[in-house]
Amino acid sequence: MRRLLAALVLVPLAVPAGAQDAGRVFTADDYARAERMLAPATFPLVSGAVSAPTWLSDGRLAFRTTSPTGTTYRVADARTGRAADAFDAVRLAAALSTALGRPLDAARLPLQAFDVADNGQTLTATVQGRDVRCALPAYTCQTVADDHAPGGPDEMSVSPDGAKGVFVRNHNLWLRDLRSGAETALTTDGVEDYGYATDNAGWVHSDAPVVTWSPDSKAVATFQHDSRGVKKWHLTTTEVGQPALDSWAYPLPGDSAVFRIARVVVHLPTATDGPRVTRLAMEPDFHRSTVSDHVNCYTGLCDLQWTPDSRTVAFLSSSRDHKQVWFRLADAQTGAVRTVLTETSATQIGDASFSENLWRVLPATNEAIWWSQKEGWTHLYLVDLATGQIKNRITSGEGNVTDVMHLDERTRTLIVQAVGKERGRDPYFAHIYKVGLDGRGWTLLTPEDANHNASLSPDGRSLVDTYSTPDTPPTTVLRDATSGRLVQTLGTADVSRLRSAGWQPPTRITVKARDGQTDLYGLMFTPSTLDRTKTYPVVVYIYPGPQTGSVGSRSFSAARGDHQALAELGFVVVAIDGMGTPYRSKAFADAYYGRMGDNTLPDQIAGVQDLARQYPFLDLNRVGIWGHSGGGFATAAAMFRYPDFFKVGIAESGNHDNRIYEDDWGERYQGLLVRDGQTDNYAPEANQTLAANLRGHLFLIHGMMDDNVPPQNTLLVVDALVKANKDFDLLMLPHARHGYGADGRYVMRRRWDYFVRHLMGSTPPDEYAIGARPAGR
């Protein structure tokens, strides 16, 4: 204990002479001014924005608009763009208040989702977690029994026809008739560690069934999840008395037993036959996908589709190391499986930042739309299903296709989302295009120089498009999806009140990478009182990928975490997407494949140095860095590998040694673990092996109940620092999981304090409480 306490002693950082803010004593009011840049204060100051656009069952578009006094729910005709209020908010609020037994404000109705059907006669909605149905002419509402009712399953997947749902009970898949409530066991041989439709794998914990329904609602594609022999991970709670043990299967890179999935089709009972399970005639697949580090995607199983006639299941199988993908077809009745084609790569195949929706089967013409990165970008190809041979290229050139939004088989055209296709624009901006299956007719449907978030009407003829940039507020429009013609502007956000409150947008930046040639893109946040004759300490926010980057969305946001808040305290905060992150070329994304310790750090250093040449108010003698999860890994690596550049680091919940992080992550991006005597190919990338290099101030933070990145990752670094006799700071949160939850505000304040004290050389206020004051005051 004495050794640990000695390691936690804070040693003031020597502050460069001439640093104007050195020795400053911050007050609670200074921190309160910074806090006003966080989301609770900034979000309400944006009005006029369109949010939650949703296509209704009757073909109209529903959306919300905000004003300084509340929220309005609107519906628009997709063809004409004419919009009107979706309902009488005052009458609906009264009806919902009666049904739910608590008062609701008509100006702020908390509808999480709603639909209008029966020619506008019936409204269904989710309100504060309760499902309701309202007769609009009379404005009478009643609650609807849901799948979370006492005695019912906690999670359920509902069929396309809305008549039934499936859920997991005692390791087996069950069916519930949603009209009668009758329940039927669809499988009976599921057992612990070999259950049906479960995705309790590694860091994922969910009782929701992982299934993909057939279009005719008569069957589901799923799997029997095999965790037999997989080693367990253990965490213990912190409480008075004996701690509770939390144990679950959690495979690691190099383990001989990892999760496998035995693919099946479960046929629902009919009037004459009971339920039936068809096992696909193939060896179990590894628990892998091309788009995620588990197998559960929003639409059901990742990398799996039914054909429209419900006769065939099309799916992708990935090798354990993600270097091979097999495109396969299975007969849903017999289980016969045929491999159409195989994709291979020297690194990893796929991109976890892209949509899984990049391929289609066209049984009517015996063709398929297939994606590949073999030409250096993610492109689409037309494939002959019989031979697996490419018939023609659909897309080409620089830039990646990131989503297939609509296929019109009659006209043989696609509507797709892509990035990096418009020269002279930010390569991360997404645009929407139309193209023929023959590769002809490439047409830009969203011309504005901005990032476009769009969705198509079910018939594929109309497009709702919200476009913005990090420094320009969003505009939402309706377009004709065949031509891109503007039909109607539905709303543009007004940020005048936000600006009046002292907010300013981030600065979009372009800097050079480690090679001195490649352009990198990012955002810079500066104090609203910036004095360009002074110099400011720099804080690098980092998330190194490989599945995403530091910047995040290129759309407008009034608050991006606490970046602007931290800047208000007198820092320049920088976020740069370095080489090894997605959305650029395949070579760019694979820049440090097999060398996870790289963490884009050479690009962060080169980028900040280039930025200082453009903006001389950056003080390169005072550079700090922080990040969470992969960013925590990168932060500690920065402090150990580049101690002359990074003076202060805050590493939150880092996966510091990928040998003790879930198997799919390391094996995808570092490669399979290969042992060489007493060492292996993962060892040089592990942070604890470099801990003796620490010279600056390092603050390690981790949740002790983190079931994503186990806290032992940070404790390995702690042990190495203690053995190297290094001073550092440590905060272990007894009850926090990976995202910190209720402890998040405390961690944020400690982060501010740490940079103020050690990077600026100033004194923070005593125990300031974020959130204690009303937002905006």
Side-chain angles (χ1 to χ4, degrees):
M1 179 63 73
R2 285 194 296 270
R3 293 177 67 196
L4 180 59
L5 291 175
L8 299 179
V9 172
L10 304 180
V11 180
L13 181 70
V15 178
Q20 297 90 340
D21 41 19
R24 176 182 172 186
V25 177
F26 280 78
T27 67
D29 285 342
D30 294 325
Y31 268 42
R33 185 171 59 254
E35 187 181 351
R36 289 195 287 272
M37 295 300 105
L38 299 177
T42 58
F43 181 78
L45 299 179
V46 178
S47 59
V50 170
S51 62
T54 305
W55 293 102
L56 300 177
S57 55
D58 62 8
R60 292 183 299 165
L61 178 73
F63 59 96
R64 291 179 286 194
T65 60
T66 58
S67 71
T69 59
T71 301
T72 301
Y73 294 84
R74 307 272 286 171
V75 292
D77 183 291
R79 298 288 179 267
T80 66
R82 286 192 292 270
D85 288 349
F87 42 72
D88 184 319
V90 174
R91 296 183 67 188
L92 184 61
L96 289 172
S97 298
T98 299
L100 298 173
R102 51 184 178 270
L104 296 177
D105 184 353
R108 293 177 172 82
L109 283 174
L111 305 187
Q112 295 157 267
F114 76 95
D115 191 12
V116 179
D118 303 328
N119 294 320
Q121 302 296 299
T122 303
L123 179 142
T124 56
T126 302
V127 183
Q128 296 177 338
R130 298 293 304 277
D131 293 334
V132 297
R133 180 179 292 110
C134 303
L136 289 186
Y139 280 90
T140 58
C141 298
Q142 62 182 9
T143 58
V144 179
D146 58 36
D147 298 330
H148 301 273
D154 292 330
E155 302 285 353
M156 181 177 291
S157 176
V158 178
S159 60
D161 64 11
K164 41 197 169 286
V166 295
F167 60 94
V168 176
R169 176 184 290 161
N170 296 329
H171 314 297
N172 283 288
L173 196 63
W174 283 69
L175 172 72
R176 173 184 278 189
D177 186 305
L178 298 183
R179 297 186 180 94
S180 68
E183 295 180 349
T184 305
L186 297 176
T187 67
T188 57
D189 60 335
V191 294
E192 186 176 4
D193 294 333
Y194 197 35
Y196 285 90
T198 180
D199 189 29
N200 285 305
W203 61 270
V204 175
H205 301 275
S206 173
D207 292 325
V210 185
V211 302
T212 300
W213 282 90
S214 62
D216 63 9
S217 298
K218 294 180 180 180
V220 294
T222 184
F223 50 79
Q224 200 167 359
H225 191 272
D226 192 351
S227 59
R228 294 171 297 184
V230 174
K231 294 178 181 178
K232 304 282 188 179
W233 199 277
H234 312 281
L235 297 175
T236 58
T237 61
T238 299
E239 54 193 289
V240 176
Q242 285 82 2
L245 180 65
D246 185 9
S247 298
W248 72 102
Y250 191 99
L252 299 175
D255 281 358
S256 58
V258 297
F259 296 125
R260 305 290 289 264
I261 57 173
R263 296 183 182 271
V264 299
V265 174
V266 180
H267 302 272
L268 275 54
T270 66
T272 57
D273 296 303
R276 178 169 55 90
V277 176
T278 299
R279 294 188 174 273
L280 302 197
M282 57 181 289
E283 291 296 313
D285 269 334
F286 285 102
H287 184 277
R288 300 287 188 263
S289 83
T290 63
V291 292
S292 179
D293 49 359
H294 51 97
V295 295
N296 188 8
C297 289
Y298 295 113
T299 56
L301 276 75
C302 297
D303 294 338
L304 184 142
Q305 302 171 13
W306 284 85
T307 55
D309 59 9
S310 298
R311 297 174 60 182
T312 303
V313 177
F315 61 97
L316 311 183
S317 299
S318 293
S319 61
R320 179 168 175 169
D321 61 4
H322 287 274
K323 293 182 178 181
Q324 283 187 294
V325 170
W326 296 270
F327 172 26
R328 289 169 167 157
L329 301 178
D331 186 303
Q333 294 298 323
T334 68
V337 175
R338 179 172 69 88
T339 298
V340 177
L341 59 83
T342 303
E343 191 86 11
T344 61
S345 173
T347 58
Q348 56 97 19
I349 297 174
D351 194 320
S353 63
F354 290 4
S355 167
E356 65 163 334
N357 199 28
L358 281 174
W359 56 283
R360 290 283 199 285
V361 176
L362 289 66
T365 54
N366 207 29
E367 295 171 311
I369 298 163
W370 178 245
W371 60 270
S372 175
Q373 298 170 305
K374 61 186 177 183
E375 295 185 58
W377 305 88
T378 302
H379 284 310
L380 302 180
Y381 303 83
L382 190 64
V383 171
D384 186 318
L385 271 184
T387 65
Q389 298 300 307
I390 293 174
K391 298 177 70 173
N392 62 261
R393 183 186 291 111
I394 299 175
T395 63
S396 59
E398 293 188 1
N400 298 298
V401 178
T402 57
D403 189 17
V404 174
M405 301 177 66
H406 183 72
L407 164 64
D408 188 328
E409 292 191 64
R410 184 184 62 84
T411 62
R412 292 181 67 80
T413 57
L414 292 174
I415 295 178
V416 302
Q417 182 190 75
V419 296
K421 305 295 287 186
E422 303 302 312
R423 291 189 177 276
R425 297 186 180 183
D426 188 320
Y428 294 88
F429 283 173
H431 289 79
I432 314 301
Y433 302 86
K434 182 178 70 173
V435 64
L437 292 183
D438 59 2
R440 299 177 182 176
W442 181 261
T443 303
L444 174 65
L445 301 178
T446 54
E448 296 83 3
D449 185 2
N451 191 51
H452 293 259
N453 291 318
S455 69
L456 281 158
S457 60
D459 63 8
R461 296 171 62 185
S462 299
L463 185 74
V464 57
D465 172 25
T466 298
Y467 61 88
S468 65
T469 72
D471 53 355
T472 56
T475 294
T476 301
V477 299
L478 269 174
R479 302 183 190 276
D480 182 306
T482 62
S483 65
R485 176 181 60 85
L486 179 66
V487 175
Q488 184 67 271
T489 298
L490 300 177
T492 298
D494 180 355
V495 296
S496 57
R497 290 187 302 141
L498 187 63
R499 288 185 176 276
S500 296
W503 175 90
Q504 63 182 14
T507 301
R508 287 193 274 164
I509 58 174
T510 304
V511 295
K512 294 299 182 183
R514 67 186 78 183
D515 59 7
Q517 299 179 352
T518 304
D519 283 336
L520 303 176
Y521 298 80
L523 296 176
M524 179 175 69
F525 302 78
T526 58
S528 58
T529 56
L530 178 69
D531 183 344
R532 292 174 180 264
T533 67
K534 298 180 179 180
T535 59
Y536 294 83
V538 180
V539 174
V540 174
Y541 168 73
I542 187 167
Y543 191 88
Q547 89 290 10
T548 187
S550 300
V551 176
S553 171
R554 260 55 183 189
S555 294
F556 178 86
S557 177
R560 290 174 177 265
D562 67 337
H563 295 342
Q564 187 59 42
L566 189 57
E568 287 302 309
L569 296 177
F571 300 94
V572 173
V573 179
V574 178
I576 298 171
D577 284 339
M579 297 175 71
T581 57
Y583 289 102
R584 305 286 290 276
S585 69
K586 174 66 171 169
F588 187 100
D590 286 343
Y592 66 87
Y593 175 84
R595 297 178 295 105
M596 294 289 284
D598 177 287
N599 278 305
T600 79
L601 292 171
D603 296 317
Q604 304 297 326
I605 294 171
V608 170
Q609 290 173 333
D610 189 9
L611 197 62
R613 288 188 285 269
Q614 301 176 44
Y615 300 96
F617 54 78
L618 274 67
D619 186 347
L620 293 187
N621 291 313
R622 294 184 293 166
V623 179
I625 185 170
W626 83 273
H628 187 93
S629 193
F633 174 34
T635 294
M639 299 298 293
F640 300 156
R641 293 174 184 268
Y642 304 99
D644 292 331
F645 190 81
F646 294 104
K647 305 303 194 302
V648 180
I650 304 175
E652 299 180 5
S653 303
N655 51 313
H656 299 287
D657 187 334
N658 283 297
R659 290 172 297 187
I660 60 167
Y661 186 45
E662 61 104 359
D663 63 318
D664 193 29
W665 183 261
E667 292 183 350
R668 178 171 193 152
Y669 299 115
Q670 178 67 25
L672 297 181
L673 189 145
V674 180
R675 292 180 173 86
D676 182 12
Q678 297 299 310
T679 188
D680 56 67
N681 56 318
Y682 280 55
E685 317 304 322
N687 277 339
Q688 73 271 17
T689 64
L690 304 167
N693 296 337
L694 178 65
R695 293 208 297 272
H697 282 275
L698 175 62
F699 191 4
L700 298 166
I701 305 174
H702 216 118
M704 292 179 67
M705 296 304 293
D706 191 336
D707 52 2
N708 182 338
V709 178
Q712 285 79 3
N713 275 269
T714 287
L715 295 178
L716 281 175
V717 177
V718 169
D719 184 54
L721 289 167
V722 170
K723 289 176 178 175
N725 195 34
K726 293 294 180 178
D727 291 335
F728 64 99
D729 296 285
L730 175 67
L731 173 62
M732 300 299 287
L733 303 164
H735 308 293
R737 294 197 184 271
H738 195 57
Y740 297 164
D743 295 331
R745 289 177 175 177
Y746 176 78
V747 171
M748 184 184 296
R749 191 268 293 175
R750 292 290 304 273
R751 185 162 63 239
W752 296 1
D753 288 354
Y754 205 77
F755 283 129
V756 164
R757 183 178 286 115
H758 297 296
L759 194 61
M760 187 179 286
S762 298
T763 303
D766 186 40
E767 296 181 349
Y768 181 83
I770 294 175
R773 302 186 181 194
R777 297 180 62 185

